[in-house]
Amino acid sequence: MFAGSFDPFTIGHASIVRRALPLFDRLVIGVGVNEQKRYSQTAAQRVEAIRRLYAGDSRIEVMQYSCLTADFAHDIGAAFIVKGVRNVRDFEAERDQADINRHLTGVETLLLCAEPGLDSVSSSVVRELRSFGKDTGEFLPARQDSM
């Protein structure tokens, strides 16, 4: 399972999906919902955008969840949680979360480092650029760039 809020789903996220797919027979993209967080798109909009992006690829399923990521992964029978890391801060946070997730449910986490040139691409940067009216198309997968 590849977990995140994906608000929006960026080329960095698409890179992780592309690189994780050869490792598994199936990949669930879990769109997390945290009631404490403010989103620019509803969960349903985020799920639909990612589904459109991967329409026709039977190996990918997109699902929404609002529980702990480890519990969701366990509930859907995922053996691994896939996460992307862009820098040392991401690595430390994801490593700590991976330890807790393994402790809670036994689900392992696979960390994939960002590809060169994508380490500065984040959903929050895209949202900020949009708020200033900037074109963000270069940071979004092709089928989602108009969103």
Side-chain angles (χ1 to χ4, degrees):
M1 180 189 85
F2 180 32
S5 58
F6 307 120
D7 185 35
F9 191 87
T10 69
I11 57 174
H13 297 129
S15 168
I16 298 297
V17 169
R18 181 178 40 74
R19 293 166 52 217
L21 271 174
L23 304 173
F24 306 104
D25 294 333
R26 176 175 163 247
L27 183 66
V28 173
I29 300 175
V31 178
V33 177
N34 178 341
E35 297 302 326
Q36 307 302 313
K37 216 172 166 184
R38 288 182 43 172
Y39 297 103
S40 65
Q41 300 175 315
T42 67
Q45 289 171 317
R46 290 178 279 144
V47 166
E48 184 55 33
I50 300 167
R51 280 186 180 148
R52 279 194 315 269
L53 186 61
Y54 292 106
D57 192 330
S58 61
R59 300 169 299 166
I60 298 174
E61 184 176 356
V62 184
M63 301 172 73
Q64 177 183 325
Y65 70 98
S66 57
C67 57
L68 287 173
T69 298
D71 288 341
F72 180 69
H74 183 264
D75 291 348
I76 64 169
F80 295 92
I81 297 169
V82 175
K83 298 291 286 198
V85 293
R86 295 169 299 185
N87 52 45
V88 173
R89 281 188 317 267
D90 281 357
F91 174 79
E92 288 178 350
E94 295 298 347
R95 181 198 57 211
D96 292 348
Q97 192 63 56
D99 289 344
I100 295 299
N101 289 343
R102 187 182 330 86
H103 173 76
L104 291 173
T105 63
V107 176
E108 290 288 347
T109 300
L110 175 66
L111 301 178
L112 294 177
C113 296
E115 289 185 86
L118 296 181
D119 52 344
S120 62
V121 177
S122 70
S123 294
S124 57
V125 166
V126 171
R127 288 192 310 272
E128 183 173 1
L129 290 172
R130 282 180 177 172
S131 76
F132 287 99
K134 299 296 182 185
D135 178 12
T136 58
E138 70 182 288
F139 304 114
L140 303 173
R143 292 188 197 170
Q144 194 182 353
D145 58 4
S146 63
M147 299 185 76

